[in-house]
């Protein structure tokens, strides 16, 4: 079963625009992590937000977490063609540090 | 890349044959994981390890076994490969950072079972 579900499944934007994707989950979590995956490549860790945090920034990335709604969002500001990739959220449990992934959002940034 | 390598990177095998995938890490991480990635399913946890000889099952463990005899190596074995095990397999480690464990992934192994 998938703990995290991303929305939308696919997103197409122009370079310079912002991209927002959302992740919903079902059970309580210790943390939530976002990853990027370029086509045919491995996963790159973007950012981790703990369950007691509400917002976190890293460069052009902004992540929010609302534990009452069991949801998170990832915002990429001023997108670039190089941001074209699939983005995954993964919820982390304290026991075993295991992650449960959602199905991902495919982002296409058109130049 | 957190010092994670996977071998082989690509493999084609026939149904019914045994296959072993290797994950090697150089930074003495305690926790290691095996995931598989299939279209439409994201990544799913197969098995994980929290130390030498300590392993546990994940969400999709049927048909797979693992072994960890050394800290640096985590092996995934398909005892008798089936076509449904055609997938991309990722190994990961957990690294403690800022009060939480972040997972970092290896480059993946693309396995095709014919």
């Amino acid at each position: 079963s998938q703990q995290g579900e991303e929305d939308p499944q696919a997103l197409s934007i122009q370079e310079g625009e912002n991209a927002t994707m959302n992740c919903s989950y079902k059970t309580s979590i210790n943390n939530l992590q976002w990853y990027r995956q370029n086509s045919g490549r491995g996963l790159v860790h973007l950012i981790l937000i703990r369950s007691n945090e509400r917002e976190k920034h890293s460069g052009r990335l902004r992540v929010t977490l609302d534990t009452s709604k069991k949801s998170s969002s990832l915002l990429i500001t001023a997108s670039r063609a190089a941001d074209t990739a699939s983005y995954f959220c993964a919820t982390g449990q304290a026991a075993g540090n295991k992650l449960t992934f959602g199905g991902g959002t495919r982002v296409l940034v058109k130049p | 890349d957190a010092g994670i390598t996977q071998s082989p990177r690509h493999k084609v095998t026939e149904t019914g044959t045994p296959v072993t995938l290797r994950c090697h890490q150089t930074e003495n991480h305690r926790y290691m994981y095996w995931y598989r990635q299939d279209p439409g399913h994201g990544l799913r946890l197969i098995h994980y390890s929290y130390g030498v000889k300590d392993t546990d099952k994940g969400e999709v463990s049927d048909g797979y076994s693992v072994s960890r005899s050394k800290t640096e190596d985590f092996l995934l074995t398909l005892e008798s490969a089936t076509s449904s095990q055609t997938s991309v397999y990722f190994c990961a480690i957990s690294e403690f950072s800022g009060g939480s464990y972040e997972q970092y992934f290896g480059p993946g192994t693309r396995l095709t079972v014919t």
Side-chain angles (χ1 to χ4, degrees):
Chain A
S1 63
Q2 291 181 187
Q3 163 79 308
E5 297 289 342
E6 279 102 330
D7 171 60
Q9 290 187 325
L11 181 60
S12 180
I13 56 174
Q14 292 293 138
E15 204 165 27
E17 294 180 339
N18 295 342
T20 300
M21 59 210 84
N22 304 294
C23 171
S24 60
Y25 57 92
K26 299 172 185 173
T27 62
S28 62
I29 61 172
N30 176 274
N31 61 75
L32 190 144
Q33 303 184 38
W34 285 93
Y35 290 84
R36 183 185 75 233
Q37 184 179 36
N38 293 90
S39 181
R41 305 293 294 275
L43 283 83
V44 174
H45 188 273
L46 295 177
I47 199 165
L48 177 152
I49 187 165
R50 293 198 295 271
S51 60
N52 61 353
E53 296 176 312
R54 291 296 166 259
E55 187 170 314
K56 208 162 181 181
H57 297 255
S58 177
R60 293 184 295 112
L61 305 179
R62 172 178 170 254
V63 168
T64 63
L65 179 64
D66 186 335
T67 52
S68 67
K69 295 182 179 177
K70 292 187 169 57
S71 68
S72 174
S73 67
L74 171 66
L75 167 68
I76 305 172
T77 60
S79 62
R80 306 166 181 168
D83 295 327
T84 293
S86 290
Y87 292 81
F88 294 90
C89 71
T91 52
Q93 308 297 324
N97 308 315
K98 296 179 291 182
L99 292 182
T100 305
F101 282 79
T105 294
R106 295 187 310 279
V107 175
L108 172 63
V109 182
K110 294 179 282 187
Chain B
D1 63 1
I4 306 168
T5 57
Q6 293 184 230
S7 59
R9 294 292 314 279
H10 301 271
K11 187 170 181 67
V12 180
T13 192
E14 293 184 349
T15 298
T17 59
V19 176
T20 295
L21 309 182
R22 180 182 183 236
C23 178
H24 180 77
Q25 54 116 342
T26 59
E27 299 180 5
N28 208 36
H29 296 290
R30 179 183 171 194
Y31 289 92
M32 298 184 75
Y33 311 80
W34 276 107
Y35 294 86
R36 61 177 288 175
Q37 184 177 30
D38 304 292
H41 285 277
L43 275 78
R44 291 180 292 176
L45 182 65
I46 305 171
H47 280 280
Y48 66 103
S49 170
Y50 38 97
V52 172
K53 296 191 185 338
D54 286 326
T55 64
D56 207 347
K57 296 179 180 179
E59 179 188 354
V60 290
S61 59
D62 287 349
Y64 302 94
S65 62
V66 290
S67 66
R68 189 149 178 222
S69 58
K70 298 184 292 184
T71 298
E72 57 266 35
D73 288 325
F74 191 31
L75 305 180
L76 177 71
T77 297
L78 291 66
E79 301 290 347
S80 178
T82 67
S83 58
S84 64
Q85 293 176 312
T86 292
S87 188
V88 181
Y89 292 85
F90 288 98
C91 174
I93 58 90
S94 270
E95 184 172 284
F96 193 73
S97 175
S100 295
Y101 281 92
E102 297 180 351
Q103 278 195 25
Y104 294 89
F105 287 78
T109 294
R110 185 172 296 274
L111 176 68
T112 302
V113 183
T114 61

